Amino acid sequence: MATTPKTSSHVTVFAADWCPFCKKLRERLDRTQTPYDLIDVEADGMDEVNEWIKSVNDGNRIVPTVLYSDGEHATNPEASAVRAKLRELTGQE
């Protein structure tokens, strides 16, 4: 299994500019001012990140893939699910 990327945020979104699902998730998180780090999977040096994405998506490089600070991940989640997970991670109700 590929190495899980290191993150410093509770929510890290792995996305690509060409992806309409990524754009939709980012817009919905931004609208509610939900904090997240954004990683462009198309940038140079993303080979290990893309291998991790494929390892958690049955060999497919699916974006958006979201990594949470507890090590869990989600593929193409709804913004509401990301916000709920963030509340869980930060102890907010």
Side-chain angles (χ1 to χ4, degrees), residues 27-44:
E27 286 174 350
R28 290 180 175 177
L29 293 175
D30 290 346
R31 190 176 321 130
T32 57
Q33 299 180 341
T34 303
Y36 63 93
D37 283 350
L38 179 66
I39 305 295
D40 178 3
V41 300
E42 297 292 318
D44 290 338

Side-chain angles (χ1 to χ4, degrees), residues 1-4 51-52 54-57 71 73:
M1 179 144 171
T3 304
T4 302
E51 286 304 312
W52 174 78
K54 289 193 293 188
S55 77
V56 299
N57 290 299
H73 59 83

Side-chain angles (χ1 to χ4, degrees), residues 2-61:
T3 304
T4 302
K6 300 286 185 244
T7 63
S8 59
S9 178
H10 284 300
V11 177
T12 303
V13 177
F14 296 91
D17 287 342
W18 50 261
C19 170
F21 302 104
C22 300
K23 182 178 180 186
K24 182 174 95 171
L25 177 62
R26 291 175 57 200
E27 286 174 350
R28 290 180 175 177
L29 293 175
D30 290 346
R31 190 176 321 130
T32 57
Q33 299 180 341
T34 303
Y36 63 93
D37 283 350
L38 179 66
I39 305 295
D40 178 3
V41 300
E42 297 292 318
D44 290 338
M46 290 291 121
D47 292 343
E48 284 187 37
V49 166
N50 284 303
E51 286 304 312
W52 174 78
I53 290 170
K54 289 193 293 188
S55 77
V56 299
N57 290 299
D58 297 321
N60 299 303
R61 193 183 77 148

